[in-house]
Amino acid sequence: MVCLVLSLCVLLVSALALAFGPQPPEVRPDDVETFKPGQVGILNGTQFVQWIELQQQKGVKAVALKEGSYHVIPSGDIAHISLEKLDGMTIWMDSVNLTMTKVDLPAFSIYGCNQLKTYGPTVWWDTPGFSQATITNVESTGGQNYNIRFHLDDGYDSSFLLNSSTGEVHGQYTNPKTGRLEAGPGWSTVSGATKPVEGDDDTYTVPISNSYFTPQVGYKLLARGSFIFCNKINDSNNTIVNDYTLLNCAGFGWISSGNRKTTFNSVSVKPASFPPPNGTELPARSSSADGIHSSGDYIGPTFDSCHFAALDDDCMAVHGSLSPITGPGSTANSFEIPKGDAAIGDTLRFYSNTTFEPLGTAIVTSTSHSSISVDDLPVSPSELATTFWSNQNRVGSGFAVLNTHTTGNRGRGAIIKASHGIISGNLFEGVSYGAINIGPEFSYWKEADYAHNVTITNNTVRDCNYLSKAAAAVMVHGDGANPTNGNSNITIDGLVIDGVSASNLYIGASEGVGLGDVTFLNVFKEDYTLWETWPGAVATFENVSFSGVRGERRVVGGAGKQGVDLLKVLGEVEGVSDGAGNGAGNACMR
């Protein structure tokens, strides 16, 4: 064992953790009012919704759908089942399997509800929203371009892979060493699939250009088709989704926006045999996008005891938006906007649109469809056209990620751009990029914001970041100029990073970071070669100040590779001892 002690401190674990944790499951009451569909195996979404609304008018607070399996006839063009403006209602759909009949239409839409609680169901679609095939031959045509022969997997709509002139494909394979399905690093462009052999109905060739992955025989190909939000929650208060299982969705598993606290308890997004019930091919991915995505929530969501398996993008995302300013308004302390949401009393933060450095905050005093007035603009009128703003009341602060398991996912695990939250007791496995990612993505996605007062405690990150050469398995970061006054009061303790042979930990653009015990296990596996060409370090600190008095960093296992830094210190770093580098150089395992 080789120990690297940085003599950094840790803040006490937030008492907020005591307020969360798995709650004992409720049991469906025996006398609950129950909807019984009129046709065997068919659920008319319109009739079901109308019946729920009638029960609410009668003062009934708990209803149920009769146990069974149903194909759902949509209740309109918003979703298969649209729940609107329900107040204090509990809907039991446990022991219910729902098959959606329209692939490009969400399963559930929850809008304008208050204190709505749902249990179950298991949801899937008649046809997945993507094509899937298995590569049988690969011919390189130079660079990252290939001609690929593939065989269509059974049970899938082949049109997304065969008929689009500029589709997207994604590669993945089963790692023979770990047994886990692992993903290629990105989408590649595909066009014009053709038959290679006359009379073969299921085998095709396709040219792939600018591929982000190196295709091999046996790899899977996926082509995205209809890109939808499989479930939506908007403008609702204190919604609780319990025991909901989503299989093979065509886009985002859930999208949450404009809400005040949505709780996802034991929600799963995962693959399943398809088509039901006797599919012949296990889908390579469970979704063609994110698992649960929170954008612009007033109070962030809670993820508790959730499971995300084989997603084709990120598992959990919580963020707000970075919005442009077109110029000064018609009155003092006002500015013109092309888009963005703000209400009187909201706090706005302003940023340079070139360096993304924070410029100050102001309180909204009035709004119109194209302008916002504040109490005191922190920038001059002449600078407004080169300024961005974000609404601090709409970034999803107050979030919690608890007791959740991710496995075999492309993309990232928990992407957090919000404040006043906790990430505790989670297991991140097989996430191809970073498992925990804290901080804004202004320049690419225009997603805000910096994080403040966030506790990250007792998490395990295993076999993650296996595709990345720039980020880290656990990352606290900024954007643009990477200012020291970006994130603040981030506490990390009880962190175990296991089997990550690229960058393990990056902390930057932050002040007042409390860093406790971090253990790096199996950093230098012999069966990984990424270190040979990647110039990073196990841990990197850049433009950050630390606070606290205890905690140590331990590197355990592996003989080490020549020239790989254990710790790299960049920019302005305060609060580390001389033995840890502190601007004096890098700590290396030689």
Side-chain angles (χ1 to χ4, degrees):
M1 180 178 76
V2 181
C3 293
L4 175 64
V5 181
L6 306 184
S7 301
L8 305 177
C9 65
V10 62
L11 301 176
L12 293 176
V13 176
S14 171
L16 182 61
L18 300 177
F20 297 103
Q23 302 298 312
E26 292 189 41
V27 178
R28 181 200 289 225
D30 293 333
D31 59 348
V32 65
E33 294 287 342
T34 301
F35 182 79
K36 301 174 182 178
Q39 294 177 269
V40 176
I42 301 294
L43 175 64
N44 186 300
T46 299
Q47 293 176 0
F48 183 43
V49 170
Q50 290 175 345
W51 179 83
I52 293 173
E53 292 172 346
L54 179 61
Q55 301 310 306
Q56 177 173 252
Q57 293 171 13
K58 295 178 179 179
V60 175
K61 291 299 183 181
V63 297
L65 175 60
K66 183 182 178 181
E67 297 177 1
S69 298
Y70 306 99
H71 280 73
V72 182
I73 299 174
S75 61
D77 57 3
I78 296 176
H80 285 79
I81 298 174
S82 298
L83 305 174
E84 296 187 8
K85 299 182 179 179
L86 298 178
D87 190 3
M89 182 70 75
T90 297
I91 304 175
W92 292 90
M93 292 175 285
D94 54 322
S95 301
V96 170
N97 296 308
L98 298 179
T99 305
M100 303 300 146
T101 53
K102 193 171 182 181
V103 70
D104 58 351
L105 193 66
F108 285 86
S109 175
I110 298 172
Y111 173 76
C113 293
N114 184 52
Q115 304 287 343
L116 174 66
K117 185 184 296 185
T118 67
Y119 286 88
T122 296
V123 169
W124 48 16
W125 275 257
D126 274 336
T127 304
F130 46 82
S131 300
Q132 181 173 301
T134 303
I135 296 175
T136 58
N137 187 68
V138 178
E139 175 190 357
S140 175
T141 57
Q144 291 298 107
N145 304 310
Y146 305 90
N147 284 326
I148 293 177
R149 182 173 296 186
F150 60 86
H151 185 273
L152 290 169
D153 290 346
D154 293 336
Y156 292 83
D157 185 337
S158 62
S159 63
F160 306 128
L161 189 56
L162 302 183
N163 297 339
S164 62
S165 58
T166 55
E168 293 178 318
V169 297
H170 187 237
Q172 52 275 309
Y173 69 107
T174 299
N175 187 319
K177 297 174 181 176
T178 65
R180 181 167 43 246
L181 191 74
E182 296 186 352
W187 291 95
S188 302
T189 302
V190 59
S191 60
T194 59
K195 292 279 192 67
V197 179
E198 189 68 29
D200 187 337
D201 292 334
D202 296 314
T203 299
Y204 296 79
T205 56
V206 63
I208 295 181
S209 59
N210 301 317
S211 180
Y212 284 92
F213 66 98
T214 301
Q216 296 184 29
V217 173
Y219 279 25
K220 294 292 185 183
L221 284 179
L222 264 71
R224 288 201 288 204
S226 300
F227 191 75
I228 66 169
F229 300 126
C230 294
N231 299 274
K232 300 189 295 184
I233 304 178
N234 299 97
D235 300 336
S236 297
N237 300 324
N238 297 312
T239 303
I240 300 177
V241 179
N242 294 288
D243 303 315
Y244 187 108
T245 300
L246 179 61
L247 306 175
N248 302 82
C249 68
F252 289 86
W254 290 83
I255 184 72
S256 173
S257 182
N259 300 298
R260 289 174 170 82
K261 184 55 69 178
T262 300
T263 300
F264 298 94
N265 286 326
S266 299
V267 170
S268 298
V269 182
K270 58 186 181 181
S273 295
F274 222 96
N278 297 312
T280 59
E281 183 75 20
L282 182 69
R285 315 308 288 166
S286 62
S287 168
S288 64
D290 295 355
I292 303 177
H293 195 108
S294 166
S295 175
D297 279 331
Y298 289 97
I299 301 176
T302 289
F303 311 95
D304 196 344
S305 303
C306 294
H307 182 211
F308 301 95
L311 296 179
D312 212 51
D313 213 330
D314 307 321
C315 298
M316 297 160 283
V318 181
H319 67 86
S321 298
L322 189 70
S323 301
I325 297 174
T326 56
S330 58
T331 61
N333 290 313
S334 68
F335 55 93
E336 298 292 322
I337 58 170
K339 62 179 181 179
D341 292 320
I344 294 174
D346 286 351
T347 298
L348 309 185
R349 179 171 284 134
F350 297 84
Y351 296 94
S352 163
N353 69 359
T354 54
T355 64
F356 301 113
E357 291 192 65
L359 302 176
T361 61
I363 306 297
V364 176
T365 57
S366 67
T367 65
S368 70
H369 72 281
S370 62
S371 68
I372 296 175
S373 295
V374 296
D375 58 348
D376 187 15
L377 270 173
V379 297
S380 66
S382 62
E383 297 173 310
L384 282 170
T386 58
T387 302
F388 282 130
W389 64 278
S390 70
N391 188 341
Q392 299 300 286
N393 295 72
R394 297 288 302 273
V395 298
S397 293
F399 69 91
V401 181
L402 308 166
N403 313 306
T404 286
H405 182 202
T406 74
T407 182
N409 298 286
R410 178 190 167 270
R412 295 164 291 183
I415 309 175
I416 305 298
K417 302 157 189 175
S419 300
H420 308 294
I422 183 169
I423 303 172
S424 180
N426 304 287
L427 172 60
F428 298 92
E429 289 187 293
V431 179
S432 65
Y433 294 103
I436 301 174
N437 191 305
I438 309 295
E441 290 180 296
F442 292 143
S443 55
Y444 191 83
W445 291 110
K446 297 295 186 289
E447 291 178 353
D449 205 318
Y450 283 104
H452 309 279
N453 305 311
V454 174
T455 297
I456 305 169
T457 181
N458 298 327
N459 297 282
T460 297
V461 173
R462 183 178 298 143
D463 295 325
C464 295
N465 200 33
Y466 56 83
L467 294 175
S468 178
K469 295 184 180 182
V474 176
M475 194 170 185
V476 181
H477 62 89
D479 202 340
N482 218 26
T484 304
N485 64 338
N487 307 291
S488 68
N489 298 325
I490 311 295
T491 299
I492 302 175
D493 192 22
L495 175 63
V496 176
I497 303 178
D498 184 3
V500 174
S501 290
S503 180
N504 280 229
L505 176 66
Y506 174 91
I507 302 176
S510 302
E511 57 186 359
V513 175
L515 186 59
D517 290 331
V518 180
T519 301
F520 304 102
L521 298 176
N522 301 307
V523 174
F524 305 108
K525 284 184 176 179
E526 292 182 0
D527 57 345
Y528 283 81
T529 60
L530 189 55
W531 282 114
E532 303 294 344
T533 57
W534 187 77
V538 176
T540 300
F541 302 152
E542 180 179 13
N543 293 344
V544 56
S545 65
F546 291 96
S547 62
V549 293
R550 67 175 183 271
E552 67 176 10
R553 258 50 57 216
R554 297 181 295 274
V555 176
V556 182
K561 291 182 179 291
Q562 292 293 322
V564 174
D565 294 332
L566 293 183
L567 172 65
K568 185 171 288 185
V569 178
L570 303 172
E572 299 179 8
V573 178
E574 299 179 359
V576 294
S577 67
D578 289 339
N582 199 22
N586 301 325
C588 300
M589 179 183 290
R590 297 289 185 184

